[in-house]
């Protein structure tokens, strides 16, 4: 697939916006519902009320963690933020940007022979957006570093 006609302006952040919106909405709604239940049921003890609210907070925290991934492209390189990790890469380290049919997210082939998942670009519920982002990241990697790739 062809690269975008022009490179995005740097810095640029790639993230799965629809997925994030769903995760935020579900997290807030379930927290509000569990808190409302904790306050509305008169037969609950204080400890039970606290456990409802704490459960809501735990679920909200997990959903916010799932919404964390992003890829930030800057002049000097990339920052890949996944669920629990953050990795800084120079453009020269990125040899290839891959998003094949069936992939859950973009994979970066690195100069050290490893592959790094970049969960900030994931087809999920926004495939066209992810393919567009993967193409833009590929074009940036090609123009700033050593790599090429296959997207889509």
């Amino acid at each position: 697939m062809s690269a975008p006609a022009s490179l995005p302006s740097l810095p640029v952040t790639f993230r799965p916006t629809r997925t994030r919106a769903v995760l935020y909405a579900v997290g807030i709604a379930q927290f509000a519902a569990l808190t409302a239940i904790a306050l509305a049921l008169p037969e609950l003890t204080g400890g039970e009320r606290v456990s409802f609210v704490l459960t809501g907070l735990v679920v909200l925290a997990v959903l916010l963690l799932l919404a964390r991934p992003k890829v930030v492209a800057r002049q000097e390189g990339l920052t890949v933020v996944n669920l629990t990790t953050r990795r800084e890469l120079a453009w020269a380290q990125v040899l290839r940007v891959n998003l094949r049919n069936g992939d859950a997210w973009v994979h970066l082939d690195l100069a050290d022979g490893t592959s790094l998942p970049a969960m900030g670009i994931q087809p999920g519920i926004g495939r066209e957006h992810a393919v567009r982002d993967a193409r833009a990241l590929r074009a940036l990697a090609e123009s700033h570093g050593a790599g090429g790739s296959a997207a889509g």
Side-chain angles (χ1 to χ4, degrees):
M1 302 212 165
S2 62
S6 63
L7 291 175
S9 301
L10 295 178
V12 62
T13 301
F14 302 104
R15 51 178 62 168
T17 52
R18 286 185 190 166
T19 302
R20 288 185 74 201
V22 169
L23 290 169
Y24 280 20
V26 169
I28 292 167
Q30 70 77 33
F31 177 70
L34 286 175
T35 301
I37 290 169
L39 297 175
L41 293 177
E43 64 273 2
L44 294 180
T45 66
E48 290 170 331
R49 290 179 201 280
V50 169
S51 70
F52 265 84
V53 173
L54 289 177
T55 300
L57 282 173
V58 168
V59 173
L60 177 60
V62 169
L63 293 174
L64 293 178
L65 182 68
L66 291 173
R68 182 176 184 248
K70 65 182 175 180
V71 177
V72 181
R74 298 173 324 283
Q75 195 64 39
E76 53 279 352
L78 289 176
T79 301
V80 178
V81 178
N82 288 328
L83 295 180
T84 60
T85 61
R86 176 187 180 103
R87 182 146 176 212
E88 301 284 339
L89 300 167
W91 284 113
Q93 291 177 272
V94 181
L95 300 180
R96 189 172 166 103
V97 176
N98 297 300
L99 179 59
R100 294 176 291 266
N101 283 330
D103 282 351
W105 42 72
V106 162
H107 293 271
L108 305 176
D109 291 340
L110 304 180
D112 65 3
T114 62
S115 178
L116 176 67
M119 297 172 74
I121 302 174
Q122 49 184 267
I125 57 176
R127 175 137 183 92
E128 297 84 20
H129 183 75
V131 169
R132 188 172 52 249
D133 285 353
R135 287 178 179 158
L137 183 58
R138 174 189 59 208
L140 287 168
E142 289 172 349
S143 70
H144 288 86
S149 84

